[in-house]
Amino acid sequence: MSDHDHPRAIGGKPFDPLMKTLLAIFGVSAVVMVYRFFTGVGPVSNMTDGFTWGIWEPVNVVVFTGIGAGAYGVALLCYLLNKGKYHVLVRPAVLLGAICYTLGASSIVIALGRYWNSYWLAVPTMWNLSSALLEVAVCVLSYVAVLWIEVLPSVLDGAAQSKSSAWSQLGRTWGPLLAKAMPYIIALAILLPTMHQSSLGGLLLIAGPKVHPLWHTALLPTLFLISCLSMGYGAVVVLTTILNLTWKAKHDQRLFAEMSKVNAGLLLLYVVLRLGDIAIHGKLAYLGFNGYTLLFVVEIALFLVPAFMFFSPRVQQNKGRLFGAALLTVAAGASYRVDTYLSVYRPAPGWDYFPSFGEIIVTIGMAAIGMAIFIFISRMFPVVVVETRDHSHAGSGRVLTAGSR
Amino acid sequence: MAELETEGVSRRGFLKVCSLAAGAVGLPAWAGEKMAEKAAGSAKPPVIWLHFQECTGCSESLLRTSAPDVAELILGLVSLDYHETLMVPSGYQAEKSLEESMEKNAGNYVLVVEGAIPTKDNGIYCRVGGHTAVETAKKVAAKAAAVISIGSCASWGGIPSADPNPTGAVGVDKVVTGKPVVNIPGCPANPYNLLGTVLQFATFGTLPALDGLGRPKFAYARTIHEDCPRRPHFDAGRFAQKYGDEGHREGYCLYKLGCKGPATHANCSLNHFVEMPGAWPVGIGHPCVGCTEQKIGFRVPLHDTVDVERPTAPGTYPPIHPDHSVITPAVVGASAAIVGALVGAGYVATKKITADSEKHAGKE
Amino acid sequence: MSISRRSLLKGAVVAGAATALVGRAEAREEVEPRPDAVGMLYDSTRCIGCRACVTRCKEANSLPYDRTAEGIHDAPTDLNSNTKNIIKVWTAGEKSAFTKQQCMHCVDPSCVSVCMMGALHKEGEGKRDFAGEKKGTGVVLYDKGTCVGCRYCQIACAFNVPKFEWFEAFPLIVKCELCRHRGDPKKEGPLAIANPACCEACPREAVVYGKREALLAEAKRRLAEDPKRYNGLIYGEKEGGGTQVLYLAGAGVTFKQLGMPELPEESSASFSERVSHAPYLHGITPIALYGAMAFVIRRNKSKEEASEHHGEGK
């Protein structure tokens, strides 16, 4: 690796209009969240005893962590399969993962009814090991810690280059030490998501009578694991493309094309497993002219279309098309997850659900603060690898609005 | 007994009365016999009855009770030493018999008070024999064994204390201290509730268990609603909507006309007045006015409805899968807009980056 | 690099195969009804819909009323945080049948399987030491001290029994605990654990309390004695691994019509644990995987550093 591939802090004004907007959105959602702590979950949400997780669990946790799985996917490629060229992506992906997982974990606290009892999670003798949610909770919490430790090198690098001598000393002492410990932390950073992402699918195994047969299968853990990887790779491409447009982040088309071929394999594997499972278990009879079939077809299409796009040279060579295909993979994973947890979940006749404004605002607010934290950290610390041949500072006006979903 | 029989009271009839009264207080039949024995003996409980701000309705309803009739009651069951409406003497003679009885039975007699006691302007709004109600009540109560407030006025002021309470009328227990006071509210109070209390005291020397408002639990523990003969109509949702409508004529529930039964504690629905079946407000088609409740009677407008104190299930059943729908169009629309915006933004961004990228490639 | 990758893949294949093999051998055993299990038997044909059980349940458990919009009736439409027991009616034309809903006290409950810290637990088998709880009656109890309010029990329960206090800042999960607080020490053996108010209130013994074995025998006796009266089945004998509350329904009425889910004989808990636990091999897989990955990553990293000549690892 050459010197110009090193990430650096973006700098710039911390409170630009985008940041202000994001913080304002979060502010509104924060009001809802605080209100919830005084009145209970009921008044701010449409959650009922039938749809008890609303959208906070399926979206804030299951989808957000799916997006955050980019850190997992890149770590898998970069460290385990030793593809050093993916190093460029590690820091943004890890930061994205750390933020997404933190948001997921904090959303859980908002949704938990008796959050003050969570301290028991720290006491292993209290664990009910047969609970899939326990595994998810413990793994996600540990993984959040691991991810932030993985973010630390950026911070320590930043510190080492700092003008303040104490700060710089801190960075120089701890940086190498951390580097030595990194392999063990990275191994954890691969093990934990493997466990909990499959368990996220495993959560619904027990809800057999309530989840539509086209979605309920013993393969749920496997399918969730695959879909988190596909979402993660997609999210990394999307993120880097946006960073490239806004801050001239290094954008290696060939690297993305290669990674996307891996992703295409995952997407196809998902479709094969899914269809095969349905066929083997004689569930094809559930397909017909109904809403479930429509959802199913849309879902499969969302997985298939980007898979084929990734193989096409036209897509591989064009930043925009690759971006679009990557967006589709994120949408595919997200729709699979939301469908399984929500759209095809039917507790009993008579129950229905649609999120309330309160719930939607909290979800959007969480996404907003996530973006704000990402921007803030990238500005302060060396996370993003910037193209060195063009030193002119990236204007954040026009392109930014296009990229800022 | 011989004495009583000369008054035209048969032994059987007398026993029946005592059993009824014992039953009303929640005592077994043997207690009735014991009451009869005691009352037939020489030691009839001496009773002094004072009237203050009232309409004499409570006395009137007592007089209209047929078992025991008035003669039985005042001559056979108790020794009524002073009662302004019923006694023969008047003026100084009457006051003298009050003094005498108080002297003779000091510490043994039962004081029954009918009517509220005005306290405003030193109690000048009610004077009997030159003494204010406050003075008389205090004086007579001081030597009484027990005090019974009959009617809502004596219990807590009743009608005289209704807004704006010009005379500062209060119940007896606000004036008399240091004595057990039993409240038997009602407008008028049901005579059996008084009789039962008096006889229990005379026979056993005890007072019945009281609730938080000083009312005997044997009569005031449950709500009218709980034992109401019209209750099935309530459970089935059949209500009279206005006086004289079909539902009213059919005997439907009077709740919507303002019946206070669901929040009023009294035994009216079980023990009708003067032994006449159906002789009580709900029985004649009028909603209960809540006269036995301090906070309802003469306080809450007649035709206002009240909260149901102990609600139970209605006459309809939920289906196996009840409706729990929460979806509202507004939020669905808003969400569609958000999802649409996300998809649109993704599409536009893709288009734009694709075009830019192609242009870039063209330049190189 | 390619070697490490190939060896890794090989390792993964071996691990996967081992998992599949051992996983099958290690599959979780089906939970059998405990010999001392207690429960209830509800006979829909005897129920007259008086709802004395609903009222008494509320009294016995000090539950708030569930007032109608007018406020004059206590009329819950379903089990909810104010209602642990409810009578519902099924009607189709002239035909109708009552049914009663409350916790089924499953033999192998989903809620207990999913509860993170054993807040919902079978009597005496929770994660904390519960004074006075004996083992073996199989009654599903709630320990608010370890409940985090995640509501996974609501997702998992096929009968939609656990309910949540949505409008409380400090909410609880509410469900029938078989009136454990009314336990009657004078009753013999395991029956002393509880004394359900609904059974006490029922004027027709449409719902009775007893040992599961005895209730099952009684249900069979009723079916044999008057086969024309019943639909011939006992719900809860096998459904979902069996429940400790058993149901009888009248002739021509299916349990599905009475709102009971159609469940396989394998309990959901057993299925879920079998599928998701198998790959873990009691924790061996994650540890082995971790060790292997740490080794590979460290080797890759030192190789990379060696090739770069100056240590610039991140």
Side-chain angles (χ1 to χ4, degrees), chain A residues 1 40 42 48-49 52-53 79-80 82 111 113-114 117 120 126-128 130-131 135 184 203 210 345 347, chain C residues 1 112-116 144-145 147-152 154-155 157 160 164 166 171-172 280 290 298 300 314:
Chain A
M1 278 207 276
T48 53
D49 288 321
T52 190
W53 279 351
Y79 296 114
L80 201 58
N82 204 18
R114 301 173 64 78
N117 273 340
W120 286 116
M126 298 297 291
W127 290 354
N128 172 16
S130 59
S131 169
E135 196 209 309
Y184 303 98
L203 282 188
K210 300 182 183 178
Y345 177 85
Chain C
M1 188 171 99
V112 171
S113 166
V114 302
C115 190
M116 290 202 279
K144 67 178 179 184
C147 172
V148 297
C150 68
R151 310 191 286 282
Y152 192 17
Q154 297 192 289
I155 302 270
C157 178
N160 293 307
F164 182 70
W166 292 100
L172 295 168
Y280 283 83
Y290 178 75
R298 217 169 71 111
N300 288 345
K314 303 174 207 41

